[in-house]
Amino acid sequence: MNEMEEQEHSYRRDSSEGSLAPLHHTHGSPRMAHLISHGMHSEPGYSRMEEPLREGDYTTYRILHPITGDHLSPVAHFSSSYPEYLLTAQSSHYQHVLGQPYSSWPSQEAFHYGMSSGDFCQAATSIISDGADVYSLEGYSTHQGFRHHDGDQPHALLVSPHDQKLPAETSNICQMLQPVQVVCDVTGGGQVVVLNQCSPDQIPHSLMTVVNTDSLPKPPDQSCSIEDHSITGIDAGHSETIVSTELPQTHKTSAGVTFNLTPGPYASQLHQALCPTQIVKQEEEEGQTKGRRRVKWEKSKRPCNCTKSQCLKLYCECFANGDVCNNCKCLNCFNNSEHDLERSEAIKTCLERNPGAFRPKIGSRKQGNVRGCHTKGCNCKRSGCLKNYCECYEAKIMCTSTCKCVGCRNYEESPKKKSSEKDKPDFNIYNPTRSPLACITPDVVEATCGCLLAQAEEAEKEGYTSAHAERMILEEFGQCLTQIVRSMFKSTSVQFNE
DNA sequence: GAGTTTGAAACT
DNA sequence: CAGTTTCAAACTC
């Protein structure tokens, strides 16, 4: 058996126990080594993992308390061979939480604990590496066979993407979830580890830890460290501390196969959607805030004031942030755990309308663009994009050609420009960073129409034929266009040859 | 704090 | 897809 095959067969399911039992340990796995080195922080206050331990045939990763740094039980064993890899844990604590030994779980399951179905939907959506979206979780959370109950309250949720007994809709969901092979709480204290689905030569390339603050002691400051490829917490009311993922890079396996270690594209979104406060803190330190909603959250996590939307539409920023309302001033709020059904339905509706509804509006940073850009662009008409009505401006990013704004002043300009001038929109300036059409401001249109009208009146006054009048108007229109185009090129320092 | 303005979201 | 309405935040007084 060559090395590759050996890797693939390193882990076999131990049917006698109904769990995965690695037959061979992949010694010194560079994959996990990478995961550790790039995905975890070592500073106090951050959730992290230690260097892998070696316990028999398992590759073992001990998860540390995000705040205290203490070891948290259970130890997580990562099996990284396709198609069977699983987080297993051996912990009396875990068994206490689950009421059953973790090791008895079937393979290819994800365990989700302490999160609402809507939360899980968002989490899964955000980390699916191929960009697919989870549209519904109906039936998902009612899969009794994999559910642990604490009285009437569902306490744990196991997800089996390949379980044929799942309801049809759930199966569909799980198919979509397949890229997320494992989503599980490995501590019983609220930590969640997410592993994207791997081929034999891929590592799980997203890994995060979410701390359930209901279960953990709260230190004075629970801020977490966020790297560029940060990930996410779920419910700000319950999940607070997040760790980052790894830096993008490729890695060559011992089998000589190169694979991409780049984090899943939605890993950061998950983080952003679910841990807005911490992200903003970090970004504030970096002198940059991205995204209106995160900026708002950063402002002391201000409560919403919704009165008519029941906080179940994207008008509500709590809802749009993937958060439940907490200490808000809203009326008739349904965005809470007491209305999980309605909330899940609303999430489903939003996602049906717009699969990217819960993705951050401020997209990934372009090369050379430190701040990123608005994914949809703004549509401001009267604010000159210089007030917080403008999502670009509020996110402290410049408008781009994606924007459809009118009279935009939110663009790169000379630092010598007087600050007083910045405060008022200028409808007569062309923004070279934006769409060429952006220069056709209301004033320009009005002036052009005035010119054309004047020509028409002159033709009428002179008694010219309609054909002549039409020609005059067209000629005038041509001159107007010439001036507009000239001004455009003048602004961009491009030669304009008439 | 009330009223107005604004632009995104939702609706038609 | 465009136009209109609804909505809640931003802003002004």
Side-chain angles (χ1 to χ4, degrees), chain A residues 176-410:
Chain A
M176 289 185 251
L177 285 173
Q178 282 185 21
V180 185
Q181 184 61 25
V182 179
V183 179
C184 62
D185 181 328
V186 293
T187 70
Q191 290 203 343
V192 178
V193 171
V194 179
L195 305 176
N196 281 359
Q197 187 165 351
C198 312
S199 68
D201 288 289
Q202 291 175 320
I203 66 161
H205 66 240
S206 290
L207 191 152
M208 70 178 185
T209 303
V210 178
V211 173
N212 186 329
T213 53
D214 291 337
S215 309
L216 293 173
K218 294 183 179 180
D221 182 7
Q222 293 192 12
S223 62
C224 62
S225 173
I226 310 297
E227 294 178 354
D228 282 351
H229 306 285
S230 53
I231 0 180
T232 165
I234 301 285
D235 181 334
H238 301 86
S239 307
E240 289 290 337
T241 304
I242 315 296
V243 296
S244 71
T245 57
E246 57 280 6
L247 297 172
Q249 72 177 65
T250 59
H251 179 78
K252 196 169 186 177
T253 68
S254 55
V257 179
T258 301
F259 56 87
N260 187 8
L261 297 178
T262 303
Y266 298 112
S268 59
Q269 295 174 15
L270 182 61
H271 192 177
Q272 290 161 3
L274 303 177
C275 189
T277 307
Q278 282 84 7
I279 288 178
V280 169
K281 278 184 181 177
Q282 174 74 10
E283 289 175 347
E284 189 176 39
E285 289 173 3
E286 294 171 358
Q288 54 178 312
T289 49
K290 302 183 296 180
R292 181 179 187 171
R293 289 178 180 133
R294 269 171 281 147
V295 172
K296 289 175 178 174
W297 275 111
E298 175 259 334
K299 294 174 183 174
S300 71
K301 217 172 181 179
R302 188 174 53 195
C304 72
N305 297 292
C306 306
T307 58
K308 298 182 179 180
S309 67
Q310 297 180 319
C311 298
L312 289 183
K313 295 195 173 182
L314 294 174
Y315 296 129
C316 174
E317 297 192 5
C318 302
F319 180 75
N321 275 310
D323 212 336
V324 295
C325 288
N326 187 22
N327 297 324
C328 293
K329 298 174 182 174
C330 43
L331 301 176
N332 195 24
C333 179
F334 276 56
N335 185 30
N336 50 48
S337 57
E338 295 175 4
H339 298 86
D340 193 46
L341 188 64
E342 292 90 344
R343 185 171 183 264
S344 296
E345 191 66 28
I347 292 171
K348 175 187 172 184
T349 302
C350 286
L351 289 172
E352 284 174 346
R353 182 182 296 123
N354 174 19
F358 294 98
R359 292 176 188 160
K361 288 182 175 180
I362 307 304
S364 59
R365 300 167 181 176
K366 292 180 178 178
Q367 198 168 13
N369 183 352
V370 176
R371 296 187 184 280
C373 61
H374 198 290
T375 52
K376 286 177 60 181
C378 68
N379 297 287
C380 306
K381 292 176 176 60
R382 305 182 64 85
S383 67
C385 301
L386 285 181
K387 294 191 175 181
N388 283 336
Y389 298 126
C390 174
E391 292 195 346
C392 298
Y393 180 81
E394 186 162 23
K396 292 181 169 48
I397 59 176
M398 288 183 293
C399 291
T400 68
S401 57
T402 309
C403 299
K404 301 179 185 71
C405 43
V406 177
C408 180
R409 288 284 309 268
N410 182 26

Side-chain angles (χ1 to χ4, degrees), chain A residues 7-55:
Chain A
Q7 279 193 340
E8 288 194 25
H9 295 87
S10 292
Y11 297 84
R12 296 262 170 76
R13 181 177 182 137
D14 184 343
S15 55
S16 63
E17 293 183 13
S19 64
L20 283 182
L23 301 181
H24 305 286
H25 172 72
T26 305
H27 299 288
S29 168
R31 294 172 279 191
M32 279 303 175
H34 171 86
L35 196 66
I36 295 293
S37 60
H38 290 293
M40 300 295 156
H41 295 280
S42 57
E43 300 170 41
Y46 303 145
S47 304
R48 63 190 190 276
M49 284 184 174
E50 272 191 334
E51 288 298 319
L53 308 175
R54 293 281 302 281
E55 294 181 4

Side-chain angles (χ1 to χ4, degrees), chain A residues 72 87 114 134 160 182 188 275 309 331 354 387 439 450 454 470 475 480:
Chain A
L72 288 175
L87 267 175
V134 180
S160 174
V182 179
C275 189
S309 67
L331 301 176
N354 174 19
K387 294 191 175 181
C439 72
E470 185 176 328
E475 284 179 352
C480 290

